[in-house]
Amino acid sequence: MSYQNYNIFALQGDNQTSDADVCETLGLDPSLAGTPAINEAAISKMHRKNYDGYLNKGIDPEEALRRADSLADAT
């Protein structure tokens, strides 16, 4: 399949990471590949994973959310 990669890595010059790779790695809908929507979906998925990870480390929910938000905002 040939399409433009819109994932944040490709946009920053990484020609090794395809949108299909990002979809597969994060378990995203493959129809996001080749669309700008891939980044919002990836950020949202990672936000949830980060939040859950912080909770699993025993961090209180409010702080976990603050940290996950901070990482998502930085992206």
Side-chain angles (χ1 to χ4, degrees):
M1 173 181 280
S2 179
Y3 53 79
Q4 178 177 342
N5 288 300
Y6 286 93
N7 73 76
I8 198 164
F9 306 110
L11 294 176
Q12 292 176 342
D14 175 359
N15 61 2
Q16 300 298 310
T17 304
S18 71
D19 286 2
D21 294 333
V22 172
C23 289
E24 183 177 332
T25 299
L26 296 178
L28 299 175
D29 182 340
S31 69
L32 292 166
T35 72
I38 192 169
N39 291 312
E40 284 300 318
I43 291 167
S44 179
K45 180 78 174 237
M46 288 309 303
H47 181 273
R48 185 65 197 193
K49 285 181 169 278
N50 289 331
Y51 176 73
D52 290 343
Y54 290 132
L55 291 178
N56 289 335
K57 288 182 178 183
I59 296 172
D60 75 85
E62 186 176 309
E63 177 64 13
L65 183 59
R66 187 191 67 74
R67 290 183 186 191
D69 287 349
S70 179
L71 289 173
D73 291 345
T75 304

